Amino acid sequence: MSNLSNVKSNTSDHFFDEQEFAKIYQQEMESLKTLVSQIPSDVFNISKTKDKSGFITIGKVIDVSQNLKRVIVDVGLKAEGVVSLDEFVEDSRKIDVKVGDEFEFYVEAFDSPKKVISISRAKVQREKTWLKLKQAFDQSGVVYGAIFKVINGGFAVDFDGILAFLPGSQVDIKIPKDISPIMSVLQPFKIISLSDDNTSDTSSKLLVVSRRAVIEENRTAKKDDFLLTINEGDVVQGVVKNIASYGAFIDLGTMDGLLHVADITWNKISHPSEALSIGDVVKVKIIKIDADKKRISLGMKQIQSSPWNHLKEKYKEGDVIKSKISNKVDYGVFVLIEGDVEGLVHISELDWTKDKCQELHSRLNIGDEIEVKIVSFDVDNHKISLSRKETISNPWKEFVEKNVIGSKLNVRVVNVANFGIFVELDNNVNGLVHVSDISWSGDNDQLIKNYKSGQQIDVIYLSGDYEKQRISLGIKQLTEDPFEKNAESLKEGAVISAKVIKIYRDDIDVELFEGIVLKIKRHNLSIDKISKNGISYEVGEIINVKVTKSDLQKRFVIVSAKKIEEDEKNAILKSQKQDSGSTLGSILGEAINLNKNE
């Protein structure tokens, strides 16, 4: 089967694409050249000689030989021409040829050895016909011929003695099962390929024609006229011609229109065959006309009363109704509102918690009745969003209203992540202990590894937002904040005893009070403890440090051991200055008193 026969296998007749036809036609021509070359020469009953190209001229009969059945003709050249007496036939009857009669002859070639010109009376008409065919091809005109023989890949067509090849794919828009009704019947064709080698032998001229192109052209003209007679919004009658998964093609007489599956009925159907059958006579409304692409979009439900208009009057957002499940999908369930109008309950709207949503979705079946709340009602786009969870109590809200911030709860760990610990509260509500709320010491990244799923722990309820479904909990809040507890001792200028708990290359960690661990960097360490070999502190060593900066709201404290040493040195220097000044005063005072006495 040729490529052209499949041009419209996936579309209706009125969706014929001329550009697509031209593209596939180019592919067809390549295969036609090979195909025609394989056709036996006796199919057309023409011998393929290599005569020189000739011309048509007027010749006068100068001799008639009945015995030899030949006629000698003067064609005005250097030699006479000879033609068979059998060629003098008109309307299937032989004519009486006499000396002096003049006829048109086709000069084929010179036969040099015999000094005779080869001429033909029969080829005159063939040459004239060929010139007409060539002119029709150049002007994209229509030519008339008759199909007379079936050959390999197609048919042979006669054009007044000139034979052409008609590919099987070019007989009609759809290849007919029975070709006999159009055999030997004069009918129009379009020439789609013409190869002329400029020789006198018409058998070497390849002619390929198409009956289908004429039919398409006529249909296109009729379609253009038909499109001018209809308007969007018109209600017309048609016959269901074909049914596909996406819709039905309706024969409107002159051309087809597409009735999309979504425009067949207000009821939900998955395939057009649920509502239509081939041959049904239907009334449809013209929804859209595309004159350029010659396409018509049709609708059946548009001439029926929309159930959505009734629903808009009867229901509103916030209404709670009982409905049966009509369909179940991965992302939720559809329920019937009224008639065949459905609304969607998304899986996330089945319950308040994710686990319960999945559990309930797996248990629900088509036909089950559930109570739902209308969340949104979009009549224009025919969408209704529903929620089941809005009809039951919100466990997040219940928890927030039931519990007081700061209260202590005993909970079960359900999951441990890098950023915190998820715990189970009442009614499958989960809360989060953020990693920063595990301990006051700040070494939470290590401490979080001590918690496992299934473990029972105590927590403090810190905050709750039921609309965002967030419950914040804390573990470190079970004990008093060491920064608040030791606020007086952490003021700037205070001197505190600290315990060295960890030593690094250039700094150390010290514990000031239980739950307060600070880092002392190299420039704040005692000068005596720093050497080229490193730091000479020992773990467990008790040192005195001074608070140099403090912001308890931000939980920011800097302490320095070096500052203690600097303060001690300054105190000694100050003391030495004071001692030196009092001695001199005493001496001068005694000297003054002695002078007065004298």
Side-chain angles (χ1 to χ4, degrees):
M1 186 66 66
S2 65
N3 292 332
L4 286 172
S5 64
N6 295 323
V7 169
K8 299 180 66 177
S9 60
N10 295 322
T11 60
S12 74
D13 292 345
H14 74 281
F15 287 171
F16 177 75
D17 191 330
E18 293 181 357
Q19 292 183 346
E20 184 180 5
F21 176 87
K23 179 180 178 181
I24 300 179
Y25 165 71
Q26 293 299 326
Q27 300 173 354
E28 181 77 10
M29 289 302 98
E30 296 298 324
S31 61
L32 284 177
K33 291 179 181 178
T34 303
L35 184 61
V36 174
S37 66
Q38 297 172 351
I39 299 173
S41 60
D42 61 351
V43 169
F44 298 131
N45 196 24
I46 297 174
S47 62
K48 296 187 176 180
T49 60
K50 296 183 178 179
D51 295 342
K52 297 179 180 179
S53 58
F55 56 91
I56 296 173
T57 185
I58 300 296
K60 180 184 290 187
V61 176
I62 60 175
D63 184 56
V64 178
S65 174
Q66 295 293 340
N67 294 331
L68 299 176
K69 291 187 177 182
R70 70 180 184 183
V71 176
I72 299 176
V73 182
D74 179 9
V75 290
L77 298 175
K78 294 181 179 180
E80 286 77 27
V82 179
V83 63
S84 173
L85 190 61
D86 294 335
E87 288 196 31
F88 292 87
V89 178
E90 290 183 2
D91 296 330
S92 302
R93 292 182 297 104
K94 290 186 177 181
I95 60 175
D96 185 22
V97 182
K98 301 184 296 296
V99 174
D101 289 347
E102 292 186 347
F103 300 93
E104 282 186 319
F105 293 93
Y106 182 82
V107 180
E108 293 183 295
F110 291 91
D111 190 348
S112 299
K114 297 181 180 180
K115 304 295 182 180
V116 174
I117 300 173
S118 176
I119 61 175
S120 172
R121 185 169 181 271
K123 287 187 178 180
V124 170
Q125 184 59 40
R126 293 166 66 90
E127 183 66 16
K128 287 183 177 180
T129 300
W130 179 258
L131 293 174
K132 289 180 181 179
L133 292 172
K134 189 173 182 182
Q135 183 180 20
F137 176 71
D138 294 337
Q139 298 177 358
S140 299
V142 174
V143 291
Y144 287 84
I147 303 172
F148 72 93
K149 190 173 184 178
V150 179
I151 60 175
N152 183 29
F155 307 90
V157 184
D158 177 33
F159 292 97
D160 290 334
I162 301 297
L163 303 183
F165 175 58
L166 172 64
S169 62
Q170 296 302 302
V171 175
D172 208 329
I173 295 171
K174 293 182 179 179
I175 298 177
K177 294 180 180 179
D178 183 12
I179 196 71
S180 59
I182 59 174
M183 288 289 286
S184 302
V185 177
L186 196 65
Q187 52 197 304
F189 294 87
K190 277 274 190 179
I191 301 174
I192 56 177
S193 177
L194 184 147
S195 176
D196 187 1
D197 60 1
N198 294 320
T199 67
S200 60
D201 185 7
T202 55
S203 66
S204 65
K205 304 176 188 297
L206 176 62
L207 189 66
V208 182
V209 297
S210 171
R211 179 173 175 268
R212 172 179 176 167
V214 177
I215 296 173
E216 287 288 358
E217 190 174 87
N218 292 336
R219 287 173 64 89
T220 300
K222 291 179 180 179
K223 288 177 184 178
D224 290 338
D225 293 339
F226 179 71
L227 291 173
L228 294 175
T229 65
I230 59 174
N231 298 290
E232 293 181 3
D234 289 351
V235 175
V236 295
Q237 184 171 286
V239 179
V240 179
K241 180 178 180 181
N242 193 19
I243 293 177
S245 60
Y246 52 86
F249 293 100
I250 310 300
D251 185 356
L252 302 177
T254 304
M255 62 187 296
D256 295 346
L258 175 62
L259 174 60
H260 194 273
V261 63
D263 293 312
I264 295 176
T265 175
W266 292 107
N267 301 334
K268 185 178 180 181
I269 57 174
S270 56
H271 195 277
S273 60
E274 297 177 29
L276 298 171
S277 298
I278 293 177
D280 287 350
V281 178
V282 294
K283 283 188 176 181
V284 290
K285 187 175 184 177
I286 298 175
I287 299 174
K288 186 177 180 181
I289 299 173
D290 189 333
D292 293 334
K293 295 182 179 180
K294 295 177 176 56
R295 295 180 181 179
I296 302 176
S297 298
L298 307 171
M300 276 182 64
K301 72 178 184 181
Q302 284 77 3
I303 58 178
Q304 305 166 0
S305 176
S306 171
W308 288 85
N309 295 332
H310 167 68
L311 293 174
K312 185 178 181 181
E313 298 173 358
K314 187 175 180 179
Y315 300 101
K316 62 181 183 299
E317 292 181 5
D319 286 352
V320 175
I321 57 176
K322 284 187 177 181
S323 302
K324 286 187 177 181
I325 297 175
S326 57
N327 193 18
K328 182 178 177 180
V329 291
D330 293 339
Y331 52 86
V333 294
F334 287 92
V335 299
L336 290 175
I337 304 301
E338 192 170 297
D340 290 304
V341 176
E342 294 178 321
L344 172 65
V345 184
H346 193 271
I347 190 170
S348 62
E349 293 295 323
L350 288 174
D351 210 300
W352 289 102
T353 61
K354 185 177 181 180
D355 291 340
K356 278 195 173 184
C357 285
Q358 295 290 347
E359 178 189 346
L360 183 59
H361 183 264
S362 64
R363 288 192 290 106
L364 290 174
N365 297 302
I366 295 175
D368 290 348
E369 188 176 70
I370 60 174
E371 194 173 55
V372 293
K373 182 179 181 179
I374 299 176
V375 178
S376 64
F377 206 140
D378 189 345
V379 176
D380 294 334
N381 293 311
H382 298 168
K383 291 182 180 179
I384 300 178
S385 295
L386 307 169
S387 173
R388 177 189 172 274
K389 74 180 184 182
E390 292 289 347
T391 65
I392 60 177
S393 58
N394 184 347
W396 301 87
K397 186 176 182 181
E398 285 183 350
F399 180 88
V400 171
E401 293 176 347
K402 176 182 175 182
N403 294 276
V404 179
I405 291 178
S407 58
K408 180 180 177 181
L409 305 171
N410 184 259
V411 296
R412 184 177 66 89
V413 176
V414 294
N415 189 28
V416 179
N418 292 332
F419 56 87
I421 305 168
F422 288 97
V423 300
E424 183 182 29
L425 304 172
D426 299 336
N427 298 322
N428 288 329
V429 171
N430 288 341
L432 174 66
V433 179
H434 193 269
V435 65
S436 62
D437 287 314
I438 294 177
S439 172
W440 295 109
S441 66
D443 194 16
N444 294 324
D445 293 335
Q446 291 297 322
L447 292 174
I448 197 172
K449 297 178 181 178
N450 297 329
Y451 295 89
K452 307 295 180 184
S453 295
Q455 181 180 353
Q456 290 291 138
I457 61 173
D458 290 332
V459 295
I460 296 296
Y461 172 38
L462 303 179
S463 65
D465 187 337
Y466 63 83
E467 290 183 351
K468 295 182 178 180
Q469 297 186 354
R470 292 179 183 174
I471 305 295
S472 296
L473 308 167
I475 296 176
K476 70 182 184 182
Q477 287 80 4
L478 291 167
T479 59
E480 188 178 358
D481 184 354
F483 282 87
E484 292 182 3
K485 181 180 179 180
N486 300 285
E488 289 297 323
S489 300
L490 294 173
K491 289 182 178 180
E492 290 185 15
V495 176
I496 310 169
S497 294
K499 181 180 179 180
V500 179
I501 59 173
K502 200 164 186 179
I503 301 172
Y504 305 94
R505 177 178 177 79
D506 293 317
D507 45 52
I508 62 175
D509 286 343
V510 297
E511 183 180 37
L512 301 184
F513 303 100
E514 183 179 358
I516 301 180
V517 176
L518 301 176
K519 185 179 292 294
I520 304 178
K521 294 185 178 181
R522 184 183 183 91
H523 64 271
N524 277 324
L525 296 177
S526 174
I527 296 176
D528 296 338
K529 296 288 187 177
I530 301 173
S531 66
K532 293 181 179 180
N533 297 326
I535 300 172
S536 59
Y537 287 99
E538 295 182 2
V539 174
E541 181 179 352
I542 304 299
I543 63 174
N544 289 329
V545 294
K546 186 174 184 177
V547 179
T548 57
K549 288 185 179 180
S550 177
D551 188 339
L552 297 184
Q553 288 185 345
K554 296 181 180 180
R555 310 177 69 79
F556 175 75
V557 176
I558 295 179
V559 296
S560 172
K562 182 179 179 181
K563 187 64 175 175
I564 296 290
E565 293 180 347
E566 291 176 350
D567 288 348
E568 289 177 352
K569 288 181 180 179
N570 290 335
I572 292 173
L573 291 175
K574 184 177 180 181
S575 176
Q576 289 176 348
K577 287 181 180 180
Q578 289 176 347
D579 290 344
S580 173
S582 60
T583 301
L584 179 60
S586 299
I587 294 172
L588 290 174
E590 290 177 357
I592 292 171
N593 291 331
L594 181 61
N595 187 37
K596 286 182 179 180
N597 292 331
E598 292 179 353

